[in-house]
Amino acid sequence: MHKPTKYVLAIYGTRDSYQVPLALAEVGLLERYVTDFYAPSGPLARFLPKPMRRRRVDGLPRQQTRSLWHPFLVNSAARALRLPMMRIFAYVGGYLAKAALREAEKSQQALYCYHNYVPDKLPENSCLIVFVYHPLASADYAVLAADNANYPETAESFARETYALNEFEQKLDWDQVTAVVCASSFTAKSVIHDGCDPDKITIVPYGLPEVESPVAIQSAEKPIRKDGPAEFLFVGQGVQRKGLHHLIRAWQSAPRNGARLTLVSYQIDSAIASLITDPSIRLLGYQTREELDAVFAASDIFIMPSLVEGFGLVYVEALAQGCHVIGTANTGLPDLHLDDGAHSLVEPGNIAALSEIISKTQARAEAGEFDRSAIIKAGHAWTHTHFRQAIAEHAAQVLRDFNA
């Protein structure tokens, strides 16, 4: 049997900012990165539209990539025609999976696939790592169904979840998988629920880019809270998964004595938005990076009480700007190993408990109990570099074990 020494990796688009293929390339473990489009560097790049020029990352040479124009054009045309994208995503995922398998068989190397891009059938004795970045729908659907039964405003979100589960859920044969990487313990639970051996799973939490915007840097240099009522912040899609309907109900269940809740959501279900009646809640749409950093810097407490969350990188963003974060155990928060000065956990879906934690953290913030400098330090402990190092070390160990 041939012993693989590198990986062929399949991912569509800019998933996770190319950090997984970059991690493998940095340590010589990348045979080929198979994707839809990867931009060239140098003079040729200036002729590309700006969005396409951004489709690359320093340190990952184009020579180690293979761009497949067919899925790129299919996806672009579907978006331009405003076609339903779920079927397009499924088609593109299958196309990339087959291309990656052919590349791996040709080079006799191992496969490293995000869970959307796993081939239907592998040759015997194949080495395959699967990255599961989001809880599997088959496991979290029951949580969302129970919540939908209690909160009618989630009907729009829940209908999309039902459609995705019934039409596009990919069932993996975990016996074919050599190893699994999950971004959180909560995601890992869904993989185990789906039949995977827990011993195959490794948790690798995400991290932030090392380069920050000027606003974020200024915030870190002057992490002093202004006097006055506490500022709370939510950033995310206004959908059932994020628990925004719970947050709005909890906030409006008690007087907040001057505190304000800012909701930044470029997409929000109309029925969830209609819950907002208290003027202390302001709803913002799309924000530029600098505008969003300014909102983070002006906030004391970040709150996102998700029902289902693969990780929640926005928690780390908030920490890195000095915000105490409130979330649930159904996220990646427990994997960050934070102290109670940096975070608070609340039971998902428990509106009374959520209202209570809002009141408690408001009082703590207004009393100056949160050490913004310490919170910023906790956030900066989780970076792209740390993530890539953990990915590379795990990938190398899997090959050693497979070839032993």
Side-chain angles (χ1 to χ4, degrees), residues 115 132-137 139-140 184 186-187 190 241 308-311:
H115 70 269
V132 184
Y133 60 89
H134 196 280
L136 301 180
D140 62 47
S184 69
F186 180 67
T187 297
S190 77
R241 285 177 174 268
V308 175
E309 193 76 51
F311 179 74

Side-chain angles (χ1 to χ4, degrees), residues 221-281:
E221 290 174 348
K222 298 180 179 180
I224 306 300
R225 183 185 185 276
K226 298 178 181 178
D227 292 334
E231 291 280 349
F232 288 74
L233 174 65
F234 168 96
V235 177
Q237 295 184 60
V239 296
Q240 181 189 20
R241 285 177 174 268
K242 302 293 182 179
L244 180 55
H245 55 300
H246 300 147
L247 174 56
I248 295 169
R249 286 174 176 271
W251 183 272
Q252 296 179 161
S253 69
R256 298 303 167 194
N257 302 317
R260 181 170 64 169
L261 170 62
T262 297
L263 310 177
V264 178
S265 186
Y266 70 89
Q267 174 189 333
I268 183 169
D269 289 0
S270 56
I272 293 177
S274 69
L275 294 175
I276 302 172
T277 58
D278 193 316
S280 65
I281 300 177

Side-chain angles (χ1 to χ4, degrees), residues 1-13:
M1 182 181 68
H2 178 76
K3 293 185 177 181
T5 57
K6 296 181 180 182
Y7 292 93
V8 174
L9 173 68
I11 310 176
Y12 180 87

